[in-house]
Amino acid sequence: MAYEGILLGMGNPLLDISAVVDEDFLNKYDIKLNNAILAEDKHLPMYEEMANKYDVEYIAGGATQNSIRVAQWMLQIPGATSYMGCIGKDKFGEEMKKNSKLAGVNVHYYEDETAPTGTCAVCVVGGERSLVANLSAANCYKSEHLKRPENWALVEKAKYFYIAGFFLTVSPESIQLVAEHAAAKNKVFMMNLSAPFICEFFRDVQEKALPYMDYVFGNETEARTFSKVHGWETDNVEEIALKISQWPKASGTHKRITVITQGADPVVVAEDGKVKLFPVVLLPKEKLVDTNGAGDAFVGGFLSQLVQEKPIEECIRAGCYAANVIIQRSGCTYPEKPNFS
């Protein structure tokens, strides 16, 4: 089977602790909707408080892992996808392994002896989400793990690589190793802007990886932050997408394509000096459960068609389909089989 191990993801495996909260809770911990941040000391009590005060759900998460699981679900070909990241040796870690195996993803976790499995507070108000990640073990991933023969074999086997920008805070060396391999072997390397704080505070490592990116994903807020950080003096998402696509490339095999989602507004695709807009499937407000995982699901749907070498229109359609399914459910979860033709 040609699809085995075709897509490899690397990132921060986190257990989502998801609950519908209230404005007071957001204000107390100084968190904003539609944002994603790393937990500081002031945030640490919130995990316990959420569990005690609200109706919490525990869902396997982490941006890259979500995208890979969704791509796997859309493909319905066991073992088409692989994933690496670091978890702890604990009950949450075991849960994560069980979840991923059930999803059909070939996971090679690095298991840290000391740190607990990372968690992410998903605070939902009015269907919109705010993410506060306590990386713990996820922050302990080392490139030594990637270099082990049984793990590097996954890199050799894959033809497509996807890494969320969040992993730039953990192991830029690992990203660089995979990026350089992809460029040398004419494979497809893809990343996500992932969050405003990545564009602002991890600018150097992001810029080092950018020349290797054949596809750049992101949403409108991240794109505008990227523009501001680079002094482009434009808030126009189409212009920004174009500028990102024209950033110099490490390898000339593939032209860079930028794909920016804008919630209910059209998806912006920039390639070859041109911009195209793709309208999304609109969902009536009463059907929206939460937006947690929507962007990840979009990428997962997109990748499921890209690895089959489908045209970009089909990739976008699959991305929109997957995102539409996910926002009608809690967290990044999906029914048994996709209904996508």
Side-chain angles (χ1 to χ4, degrees):
M1 168 190 97
Y3 286 113
E4 197 192 331
I6 195 165
L7 172 63
L8 172 63
M10 294 176 74
N12 303 333
L14 304 174
L15 189 76
D16 282 354
I17 301 174
S18 180
V20 174
V21 301
D22 46 45
E23 293 285 351
D24 292 344
F25 187 82
L26 298 182
N27 296 334
K28 177 177 178 180
Y29 289 104
D30 190 26
I31 48 189
K32 296 177 183 65
L33 286 176
N34 290 319
N35 200 8
I37 59 170
L38 293 177
E40 297 167 38
D41 288 343
K42 67 177 181 186
H43 297 114
L44 297 179
M46 72 185 280
Y47 300 88
E48 187 87 13
E49 186 178 334
M50 277 176 82
N52 293 334
K53 197 169 164 186
Y54 303 103
D55 190 11
V56 220
E57 284 186 274
Y58 296 91
I59 306 161
T64 309
Q65 187 164 245
N66 284 344
S67 295
I68 296 296
R69 277 178 35 232
V70 170
Q72 179 61 51
W73 171 68
M74 291 282 288
L75 281 163
Q76 293 285 311
I77 303 166
T81 64
S82 310
Y83 175 80
M84 286 188 249
C86 184
I87 58 174
K89 288 201 163 186
D90 52 20
K91 145 174 137 269
F92 284 169
E94 285 307 313
E95 194 65 20
M96 196 87 82
K97 278 197 279 200
K98 198 176 78 189
N99 251 306
S100 305
K101 290 209 170 77
L102 278 174
V105 179
N106 177 19
V107 290
H108 282 213
Y109 290 125
Y110 170 54
E111 293 183 41
D112 191 79
E113 299 287 343
T114 51
T117 295
T119 49
C120 182
V122 180
C123 308
V124 180
V125 175
E128 304 290 346
R129 59 87 178 134
S130 185
L131 308 176
V132 184
N134 184 13
L135 297 181
S136 298
N139 205 29
C140 303
Y141 191 84
K142 306 277 183 292
S143 56
E144 288 68 55
H145 177 260
L146 173 65
K147 290 175 187 163
R148 285 184 206 155
E150 69 273 22
N151 299 325
W152 190 254
L154 297 182
V155 177
E156 294 282 357
K157 193 166 214 179
K159 294 189 173 68
Y160 296 82
F161 303 96
Y162 174 69
I163 304 175
F166 294 119
F167 202 54
L168 287 165
T169 77
V170 173
S171 188
E173 319 77 77
S174 300
I175 294 175
Q176 214 56 30
L177 284 170
V178 172
E180 287 168 7
H181 166 87
K185 305 278 187 192
N186 295 330
K187 295 177 175 183
V188 178
F189 181 77
M190 304 170 274
M191 285 192 75
N192 202 309
L193 300 177
S194 288
F197 84 88
I198 299 286
C199 304
E200 288 175 293
F201 306 116
F202 293 87
R203 174 181 173 167
D204 294 354
V205 278
Q206 190 180 53
E207 283 184 7
K208 198 174 168 205
L210 194 57
Y212 294 93
M213 298 180 205
D214 298 308
Y215 285 80
V216 176
F217 296 95
N219 68 23
E220 74 278 43
T221 319
E222 295 148 11
R224 288 184 176 123
T225 305
F226 190 93
S227 170
K228 191 174 88 198
V229 165
H230 291 89
W232 287 350
E233 294 184 356
T234 176
D235 256 353
N236 181 311
V237 176
E238 296 175 41
E239 266 178 63
I240 299 165
L242 208 51
K243 275 173 126 51
I244 293 174
S245 72
Q246 290 164 340
W247 194 282
K249 277 196 98 251
S251 141
T253 311
H254 311 283
K255 291 192 276 269
R256 182 180 303 110
I257 297 178
T258 312
V259 182
I260 306 293
T261 58
Q262 311 187 85
D265 292 327
V267 179
V268 176
V269 177
E271 67 170 313
D272 233 357
K274 292 187 279 296
V275 173
K276 280 188 189 152
L277 297 177
F278 295 89
V280 304
V281 188
L282 292 176
L283 187 75
K285 187 86 175 140
E286 64 274 10
K287 283 195 165 174
L288 173 72
V289 173
D290 71 51
T291 54
N292 180 27
D296 304 334
F298 173 84
V299 173
F302 187 101
L303 297 177
S304 73
Q305 304 308 299
L306 186 70
V307 302
Q308 300 179 69
E309 302 181 5
K310 298 278 173 68
I312 191 129
E313 293 73 16
E314 282 303 289
C315 297
I316 301 280
R317 195 168 71 83
C320 292
Y321 164 78
N324 197 275
V325 168
I326 269 53
I327 61 177
Q328 296 182 63
R329 303 167 69 92
S330 183
C332 195
T333 61
Y334 38 76
E336 196 190 339
K337 291 262 194 302
N339 177 20
F340 177 80
S341 50

